[in-house]
Amino acid sequence: MPQRQTRFTVAAPPIEVWGFVRDVHALCSCIPGVEQVRLVDDTTAELTVREKVGVVPLIVALRARIDSEDPPHRLHAIATAEHLRMEIDVALQPSGAGTEMLGLIEVKGEGPLKPVVDGLFERRADERAAQFARHLEQRFGAMAPEGIAPQAVEVPGAAAGATRGWVARFGAWVARAWRRLFGGSARPPR
């Protein structure tokens, strides 16, 4: 299963960053490709994401659900669409005057589109992470991306069998991650 880990240092306290992560519309406004966001409930959102495969537009209807959370420290979310499953872990830790945000995204293509989904993720993950970082910098001020690593990395507090977290804001994180990974417009959803 393709995966990426990204670390950012955000110039805001953890509680403020957590508020952003849990605000689906604010979070999705930072994720390239998310065009529409509809909150189903406090832990679920439906997203419309647009990606280009060559010159052909690909529109994906994604349902994101916060599986677990430990505010303001951790969030785990699952997003599904036809031929796609994403798992997203976010961890927040105080770092000096700001917050270190650690994100781990695993994507699994399924069925006949598995090679397309996995290939898009592999080709665009780093670019989407950089776009997301620019949006965070505009929102919170100076921040530094700590790097992007394609290998699996343990998220603090998310050991096997432990509660993994994200609730309602997971939908926002998933949407942001989806845009970051699969492209599209950076236009905020309405």
Side-chain angles (χ1 to χ4, degrees):
M1 180 179 326
Q3 53 188 306
R4 287 291 189 278
Q5 177 187 348
T6 307
R7 289 182 193 265
F8 303 100
T9 301
V10 179
I15 195 72
E16 185 178 338
V17 178
W18 182 259
F20 166 75
V21 168
R22 292 290 277 123
D23 181 340
V24 175
H25 288 94
L27 183 63
C28 289
S29 72
C30 293
I31 301 172
V34 176
E35 294 188 339
Q36 293 180 343
V37 177
R38 185 179 78 78
L39 295 176
V40 175
D41 57 38
D42 191 44
T43 62
T44 309
E46 293 177 343
L47 313 166
T48 302
V49 180
R50 180 183 296 268
E51 176 61 50
K52 279 196 171 187
V53 180
V55 296
V56 178
L58 174 65
I59 298 171
V60 178
L62 189 67
R63 185 172 183 95
R65 172 181 49 86
I66 296 172
D67 193 37
S68 62
E69 69 179 353
D70 176 18
H73 309 289
R74 280 186 289 289
L75 178 94
H76 176 77
I78 298 171
T80 57
E82 187 175 6
H83 306 293
L84 169 73
R85 177 181 170 90
M86 292 176 61
E87 291 201 31
I88 301 163
D89 283 293
V90 175
L92 303 177
Q93 294 182 290
S95 177
T99 302
E100 180 182 69
M101 176 188 282
L102 172 65
L104 177 63
I105 299 170
E106 297 180 19
V107 173
K108 180 181 181 186
E110 299 170 342
L113 292 182
K114 177 180 178 29
V116 173
V117 169
D118 292 351
L120 275 171
F121 181 85
E122 290 295 335
R123 283 190 307 274
R124 296 189 178 154
D126 294 344
E127 173 189 344
R128 298 307 180 229
Q131 290 172 336
F132 180 67
R134 285 191 298 272
H135 287 289
L136 284 179
E137 184 174 2
Q138 290 172 355
R139 182 174 185 96
F140 292 107
M143 68 172 220
E146 299 292 331
I148 300 166
Q151 69 279 2
V153 177
E154 184 177 327
V155 174
T163 301
R164 299 169 96 183
W166 280 50
V167 180
R169 299 210 166 99
F170 164 76
W173 169 254
V174 169
R176 180 180 67 207
W178 180 263
R179 278 191 197 196
R180 175 177 69 199
L181 297 173
F182 294 101
S185 95
R187 175 183 91 178
R190 295 181 183 207

